[in-house]
Amino acid sequence: MRVLLAAERVPFGPKPMGGVVSWCWTIRRELERLGHTVTEWQPGMRLAGAPFDLGIIANARLTAPVARHCVCVTEVCHGFLSGDQPNGTLGRLVFVSESTRDRWGMDGDIIRQPIDLDFWHDAGRTRIGAVRYSYRRTETHCKAAAQALGMDCRQVGGVDYETARDALQGAVLVFASGRAALEAMACGARVVIYDHRATYQAPMLGGSLSEQMPQNYSGRGGKASPSLDDVIASAEWQMETAPEAFRVWVKEHHDAWRIVREIIA
């Protein structure tokens, strides 16, 4: 099958920039394993290879025009920002979480974030220190919280996936949100769901992953404007959880092998 994968940004070049890019990278890898031919497109690129049997389209407010080159379309809504606003008329409409669907007040199935468990895995290495896994470098409580637990903390973001994976496989604790949190979990790291942005609520203070999943692991539903003590408390709580439990969770709910098949069904 010839598949068009369209989004505001697609993962060509060495530096991933955000969750939708990582999502596209994962979708493409799994589709190619299945034997499909995949063309990636973002606004401003020349579109070659039309027509396509299936279009998988994200950020439809920006990418909807290419839907006319596809026999069938699955539109995927990822988030809350203006660029994520669903079109809703292109074909099948799905959402990555209940909170995303509620945000736009439209009908559609939930198809969770896919994670490539063959790529994001626990390498069995000795783990040292903490990581903040985000390309955003705004000031957070991550470093101070890690120090309170006797660990150094370094920023990892804006790097290629292999470099990110190496850092996650060597971390005792990871501060992240969204897909980044799931990638860290898949690598066997303990994860604090934490996003500093004012539009989010964080961190996950004693909350279970089942409570975070409908929120797309964004930190919504946590504590608004968390203090340093709040972040320390969340980190301490997560350190009591066996790291294996995080990968088991991702395998149960976010395995790309199953989810990509749901997308193309």
Side-chain angles (χ1 to χ4, degrees):
M1 183 165 61
R2 296 169 57 81
V3 181
L4 174 65
L5 186 57
E8 179 180 5
R9 289 190 299 268
V10 292
F12 56 86
K15 294 185 178 182
M17 290 293 291
V20 176
V21 177
S22 175
W23 180 87
C24 289
W25 180 80
T26 303
I27 297 294
R28 175 169 189 159
R29 281 170 62 92
E30 190 60 36
L31 286 173
E32 290 179 339
R33 285 176 184 146
L34 291 170
H36 301 299
T37 301
V38 183
T39 297
E40 293 175 313
W41 180 88
Q42 71 178 40
M45 289 178 60
R46 175 177 169 269
L47 179 63
F52 302 94
D53 302 302
L54 174 66
I56 303 174
I57 294 179
N59 308 119
R61 188 172 180 184
L62 303 171
T63 59
V66 295
R68 68 179 183 272
H69 299 292
C70 306
V71 176
C72 296
V73 171
T74 295
E75 179 188 352
V76 184
C77 178
H78 287 263
F80 284 54
L81 301 178
S82 59
D84 297 311
Q85 183 175 358
N87 180 287
T89 67
L90 304 178
R92 181 187 182 204
L93 175 61
V94 301
F95 298 84
V96 297
S97 68
E98 289 83 353
S99 63
T100 304
R101 183 172 61 186
D102 293 346
R103 163 67 177 86
W104 300 108
M106 300 175 71
D107 293 330
D109 293 331
I110 304 298
I111 298 184
R112 308 264 176 216
Q113 297 278 4
I115 300 296
D116 185 337
L117 290 164
D118 290 334
F119 183 86
W120 303 101
H121 64 89
D122 185 350
R125 295 166 39 203
T126 300
R127 295 178 179 271
I128 302 173
V131 161
R132 183 193 178 209
Y133 182 31
S134 173
Y135 65 85
R136 299 181 179 88
R137 295 185 176 273
T138 306
E139 188 65 28
T140 69
H141 296 305
C142 297
K143 184 176 181 179
Q147 289 176 340
L149 272 66
M151 292 184 284
D152 292 329
C153 183
R154 63 188 178 109
Q155 173 90 24
V156 173
V159 297
D160 61 63
Y161 295 117
E162 287 79 8
T163 301
R165 180 182 60 183
D166 182 71
L168 299 174
Q169 289 172 338
V172 175
L173 182 69
V174 176
F175 299 95
S177 62
R179 283 190 58 83
L182 291 170
E183 291 163 357
M185 292 180 204
C187 288
R190 296 176 175 91
V191 176
V192 176
I193 308 294
Y194 181 33
D195 194 306
H196 67 281
R197 290 173 288 179
T199 55
Y200 290 73
Q201 296 176 337
M204 184 176 69
L205 296 173
S208 67
L209 292 171
S210 62
E211 292 171 328
Q212 280 293 311
M213 184 164 63
Q215 306 293 335
N216 201 32
Y217 308 96
S218 65
R220 294 182 175 89
K223 184 169 182 178
S225 303
S227 67
L228 172 58
D229 287 342
D230 292 328
V231 180
I232 292 171
S234 186
E236 289 176 335
W237 185 80
Q238 297 294 47
M239 288 297 290
E240 295 177 0
T241 305
E244 296 83 5
F246 292 95
R247 179 170 172 86
V248 169
W249 176 268
V250 177
K251 185 175 182 179
E252 181 177 355
H253 298 284
H254 298 279
D255 188 344
W257 187 94
R258 172 180 55 82
I259 290 174
V260 170
R261 285 161 176 77
E262 293 179 3
I263 291 173
I264 66 175

